[in-house]
Amino acid sequence: MCTAATYKTKDFYMGRTLDYEFSYGDEVTVTPRNYPINFRFMGVRNNHYAMIGMAHVADDYPLYYEAFNEKGLGMAGLNFVGNADYNEPDLRGLNGESNIENVAVFEFIPWILSQCATVDEAKERLKFINLTNTQFNEMFPCANLHWIIADKESCITVESMSDGLHIYDNPVGVLTNNPPFPVQMFMLNNYMHVAPSQPENHFAKELPLATYSRGMGGLGLPGDLSSASRFAKVAFTKLHAISGESEAES
């Protein structure tokens, strides 16, 4: 039950929930600027941006759930069970025969945040990336994830599936879990009637119907905790909170 959201007011904010009934030993983790990071296929990176986020540290390696770098680029991985699919390492990249970058899933966040200052720069790196099904060790299988990457200007969603790597512009700045991101966006069509303002009587003009509570414009938003419902609720509340719409203004 992970939910991630971005907010931009005077400043830029990005956060997520990690709603498990148990802990993976996650803790606030800092990777200092230029602290050597050993990537499984891409060698050691000694020159990179500083990062801070929540991670489980194993063998002195930060297995980040989410993080920000010093340039203001944030990234989070959320459960995508049943849809996530990764590749075998591409031998052309390993042999230097192409510019393919083999990156294990567990090192995807530090790979992007160590070298990208903006979403646009991340998009350029994603053109060459091959997300591999390489495990961190025998105790840590590959997590089934998709990712949100955001800065103060824009946001994208990255999904690695059996039919390839998909990069989507994310205009709502929200990510939960299943279904895939295009389906989540399509399902927002179901809530076009929802508004932050109080509803008008379109049921029957001859009946003296009236609002009896504040917030009735939101009737129809889902109340359950499924990932699709959380996506709709957070997208609605976030977009209207940022736009400043309210009952008084409408």
Side-chain angles (χ1 to χ4, degrees):
M1 285 171 52
C2 303
T3 304
T6 64
Y7 291 87
K8 182 181 178 182
T9 53
K10 292 187 303 180
D11 300 301
F12 173 65
Y13 304 90
M14 178 177 175
R16 62 88 60 85
T17 62
L18 193 61
D19 298 330
Y20 285 111
E21 62 273 16
F22 53 86
S23 172
Y24 282 102
D26 44 295
E27 57 187 340
V28 177
T29 303
V30 175
T31 301
R33 185 186 304 124
N34 300 334
Y35 182 85
I37 304 177
N38 186 23
F39 293 99
R40 194 63 60 93
F41 303 104
M42 302 303 296
V44 178
R45 173 160 289 162
N46 294 299
N47 301 303
H48 61 79
Y49 300 131
M51 291 169 271
I52 183 172
M54 296 298 294
H56 173 74
V57 180
D59 298 332
D60 198 36
Y61 196 94
L63 301 171
Y64 278 112
Y65 296 95
E66 72 278 334
F68 256 96
N69 68 18
E70 62 181 284
K71 297 298 184 179
L73 183 67
M75 183 172 178
L78 284 73
N79 264 350
F80 196 43
V81 178
N83 282 303
D85 192 72
Y86 313 117
N87 303 317
E88 294 291 332
D90 192 307
L91 296 179
R92 294 171 299 170
L94 296 177
N95 297 330
E97 298 172 0
S98 77
N99 54 5
I100 292 173
E101 299 173 343
N102 289 293
V103 179
V105 171
F106 65 83
E107 59 190 18
F108 187 28
I109 290 179
W111 178 253
I112 292 295
L113 296 187
S114 64
Q115 60 183 315
C116 300
T118 65
V119 168
D120 286 341
E121 290 184 12
K123 286 181 176 179
E124 287 300 310
R125 287 267 59 83
L126 290 169
K127 292 178 181 178
F128 310 107
I129 201 165
N130 177 48
L131 280 177
T132 75
N133 55 11
T134 309
Q135 295 184 196
F136 179 72
N137 60 32
E138 61 183 14
M139 300 295 294
F140 292 90
C142 291
N144 294 286
L145 303 172
H146 59 175
W147 295 266
I148 183 171
I149 306 175
D151 60 22
K152 64 181 180 179
E153 301 297 338
S154 59
C155 179
I156 60 174
T157 294
V158 180
E159 296 181 338
S160 180
M161 302 174 64
S162 59
D163 60 345
L165 187 70
H166 304 280
I167 298 98
Y168 304 105
D169 289 328
N170 185 333
V172 296
V174 173
L175 189 64
T176 55
N177 310 109
N178 291 319
F181 183 73
V183 182
Q184 296 274 36
M185 289 297 297
F186 178 82
M187 290 171 66
L188 293 182
N189 287 297
N190 295 332
Y191 309 106
M192 286 192 295
H193 62 286
V194 178
S197 57
Q198 290 291 74
E200 298 179 3
N201 178 13
H202 296 292
F203 183 83
K205 293 296 184 181
E206 64 272 19
L207 297 178
L209 303 180
T211 57
Y212 54 83
S213 172
R214 295 181 62 187
M216 291 180 66
L219 286 173
L221 279 174
D224 63 275
L225 296 178
S226 67
S227 56
S229 294
R230 283 182 281 115
F231 186 93
K233 285 185 290 187
V234 175
F236 176 80
T237 55
K238 174 227 163 152
L239 292 171
H240 288 297
I242 290 176
S243 68
E245 289 187 62
S246 68
E247 291 179 20
E249 294 171 330
S250 54

